[in-house]
Amino acid sequence: MELKTDTLELMREITQIIGVSGNEKYISEAVQKYYKRYTDKIIFDNLGSVFAVKPCGRSNAKRVMICGNMDETGFIVNGITDMGLIKILPLGAVLDQTMLSQRVRLMNNDGKEFKGTIITADSDEENSKVIKANEMLVDIGATSKEEVNELGIKFGDSIVVDGQFEVLAKGQRILSKAWDNRYSCVLGIELLEALKDIKLDVDLYVGCIVQNKVGLRGSEPATNLIKPDLAIVMDCFQANDIDGVKEAVGKLGEGVLANFYDKSMMPNRTLLRYLVDICKSNHIKYQYYYSMKENDAKWIHKKIIGCPTLMACICARNINTNSSIIDINDYMAAKKAIIQVVKSLDSEKIDKFKAENR
């Protein structure tokens, strides 16, 4: 299976934008550019989550929300030393052991980028232990605090570890920073493209949520904005297949994840079975998955009076690093499955999902 060149270029563009929690505006601007090709209506909440709206034209139509977060794991500037080194504060689940000597990109409030690297004290004692990320420094080549200030760098400015977009051997797997969760940003755009000429029986809201990495803060206001009758959350989870265990949960290339449990949500069982049936009948690869982590479905599924919620996710190796790997077969499986689910939805089916536990 091969991806279209347009899809690869879209993936490259979206993954490489800097967008840590609280400063997602450049991702938002990028996805809006594509949303405008497929809809005349784009809505926002007051934290910055953004959604394209595809109305079906029916009065009192059910609302379907498809979303994923657009922020990435990274850092913000937390201080400047007299020597011009930059102190950092981690945002999200940073893996300390992967940080030392990594190259970084720092972006100030004006959107200007500076290259640098992560450093720490160079001594035998320091080299023998794992250094916490918040004890590391960033060197951008400045020699004094005054030089850093002259560059317009302030407290709270964004820093990400550089992770170039690379198609790996055989063309089936892609290495990049920020697959968690730019996967959802890319797929959301391609869903709108695939459904642009399809007459739906629901009002469709496809978009990106802010501030996932710092406690799932964006999903609550986004859900309040849309008030969905049904939601599909797209996320990227850890693959657990490198030991070659046949029963491993989360294998690259084995399809869309049918998430039957995570720490934050018990799925709507009827809706989950519906996804699996869709995959079986359309010969789409899928795999069962569970996680002890949390995602935006935590808030979406229990907001207002409750919302049947489905997770349609993929897995990646090296999650939450600048070198995560996805398999394009998983991406395509998720895309096909979500399209088939959305095309088949109507009021009667959604009411059935709502009544699952009655």
Side-chain angles (χ1 to χ4, degrees), residues 65-69 181 209-210 212 215-220 222-223 228 230-237 259-268 271 291 293-304 306-313:
M65 174 183 182
I66 303 180
C67 62
N69 65 286
N181 189 20
I209 292 176
V210 298
N212 167 281
L216 310 178
R217 301 178 190 183
S219 50
E220 188 170 4
T223 309
L230 183 144
I232 300 173
V233 176
M234 303 177 292
D235 210 335
C236 193
F237 292 124
N259 297 64
F260 62 89
Y261 176 83
D262 80 14
K263 184 179 176 181
S264 63
M265 187 189 84
M266 296 296 295
N268 182 291
L271 186 50
S291 167
K293 302 196 177 201
E294 299 182 330
N295 67 90
D296 287 314
K298 172 181 180 177
W299 294 109
I300 296 170
H301 86 286
K302 61 185 181 181
K303 286 311 296 176
I304 312 174
C307 173
T309 302
L310 175 71
M311 288 185 285
C313 309

Side-chain angles (χ1 to χ4, degrees), residues 57-76:
R58 295 174 53 247
S59 61
N60 301 315
K62 302 289 189 185
R63 297 183 173 199
V64 173
M65 174 183 182
I66 303 180
C67 62
N69 65 286
M70 57 179 153
D71 55 323
E72 63 185 302
T73 298
F75 308 90
I76 53 175

Side-chain angles (χ1 to χ4, degrees), residues 21 71-75 89-95 212-215 320:
S21 304
D71 55 323
E72 63 185 302
T73 298
F75 308 90
L89 181 68
L91 297 178
V94 172
L95 299 178
N212 167 281
K213 302 298 186 185
V214 289
N320 284 327

Side-chain angles (χ1 to χ4, degrees), residues 35-263:
Y35 289 173
K36 289 173 182 176
R37 297 180 181 181
Y38 309 116
T39 183
D40 296 324
K41 186 175 182 181
I42 297 174
I43 61 174
F44 305 86
D45 67 17
N46 294 327
L47 285 188
S49 298
V50 55
F51 285 84
V53 184
K54 177 180 169 58
C56 69
R58 295 174 53 247
S59 61
N60 301 315
K62 302 289 189 185
R63 297 183 173 199
V64 173
M65 174 183 182
I66 303 180
C67 62
N69 65 286
M70 57 179 153
D71 55 323
E72 63 185 302
T73 298
F75 308 90
I76 53 175
V77 175
N78 191 33
I80 304 167
T81 73
D82 291 339
M83 295 178 62
L85 301 174
I86 296 168
K87 299 178 182 179
I88 57 177
L89 181 68
L91 297 178
V94 172
L95 299 178
D96 299 322
Q97 64 267 34
T98 68
M99 291 296 109
L100 280 180
S101 301
Q102 291 275 15
R103 297 190 181 191
V104 299
R105 297 160 59 196
L106 186 155
M107 183 174 64
N108 69 13
N109 194 54
D110 297 322
K112 186 175 181 180
E113 283 194 31
F114 305 90
K115 298 294 182 68
T117 186
I118 294 176
I119 64 169
T120 189
D122 187 13
S123 69
D124 291 340
E125 181 182 352
E126 293 295 318
N127 290 336
S128 64
K129 66 179 183 179
V130 175
I131 310 299
K132 297 292 185 183
N134 59 6
E135 299 172 347
M136 299 175 190
L137 298 165
V138 165
D139 189 341
I140 62 167
T143 61
S144 67
K145 180 182 291 186
E146 290 73 25
E147 286 186 6
V148 175
N149 290 333
E150 289 170 2
L151 295 172
I153 295 171
K154 308 290 185 185
F155 279 68
D157 284 347
S158 302
I159 303 171
V160 298
V161 180
D162 198 8
Q164 295 183 5
F165 183 92
E166 303 284 356
V167 179
L168 300 180
K170 300 291 187 179
Q172 294 299 300
R173 293 182 176 176
I174 305 174
L175 174 72
S176 179
K177 80 172 185 69
W179 277 126
D180 180 17
N181 189 20
R182 301 293 164 71
Y183 148 71
S184 68
C185 303
V186 174
L187 185 50
I189 292 167
E190 293 218 312
L191 292 175
L192 288 167
E193 179 186 27
L195 295 168
K196 68 180 186 299
D197 297 322
I198 304 296
K199 181 67 174 175
L200 302 177
D201 286 326
V202 296
D203 288 343
L204 186 64
Y205 296 76
V206 178
C208 301
I209 292 176
V210 298
Q211 298 190 34
N212 167 281
K213 302 298 186 185
V214 289
L216 310 178
R217 301 178 190 183
S219 50
E220 188 170 4
T223 309
N224 288 339
L225 171 71
I226 294 171
K227 300 178 177 62
D229 294 284
L230 183 144
I232 300 173
V233 176
M234 303 177 292
D235 210 335
C236 193
F237 292 124
Q238 180 65 44
N240 300 295
D241 59 350
I242 62 173
D243 291 331
V245 177
K246 185 177 180 180
E247 294 79 18
V249 176
K251 300 177 184 177
L252 286 192
E254 291 303 310
V256 61
L257 304 181
N259 297 64
F260 62 89
Y261 176 83
D262 80 14
K263 184 179 176 181

